[in-house]
Amino acid sequence: MIRAALNGEVIFTRSALHENLAAALGFPVWYGHNLDALYDCLTDLSEDTVLELTGEAALLEHLGGYAQRLMLVLDRAQRENPHFRLSLPEGENPQPSAEVLTDQEVPDLGE
């Protein structure tokens, strides 16, 4: 099992977010550093992988709506791929809750 960590308190830009994700999850060099590419890589994982996200509130503060879309992508990917799971510290819930959105309501995942 792969366990990767992402600390939202130290991520201030989209670029830093994707660099950290690529390094933590061992993405290939051709990873596109955007939410569509992230979704593709997460749903292609064939080894059990847990992404432990801390500092979600700080990430939302730093990246605003982009962080909200990130959370939707992570939630959608874990529903699509049984080998991927997002882990949040106890008491933290992804914002906004993707469970209330249908696929038609989920905003475009791109930049």
Side-chain angles (χ1 to χ4, degrees), residues 13 22 31 33 41 54 71 75 77 82 96:
T13 66
Y31 170 61
H33 291 82
C41 285
T54 57
M71 298 308 294
D75 182 66

Side-chain angles (χ1 to χ4, degrees), residues 18 21-32 37-42 45:
H18 289 287
L21 284 167
L25 294 165
F27 287 163
V29 294
W30 48 261
Y31 170 61
L38 175 62
Y39 178 79
D40 290 344
C41 285
L42 293 176
L45 292 171

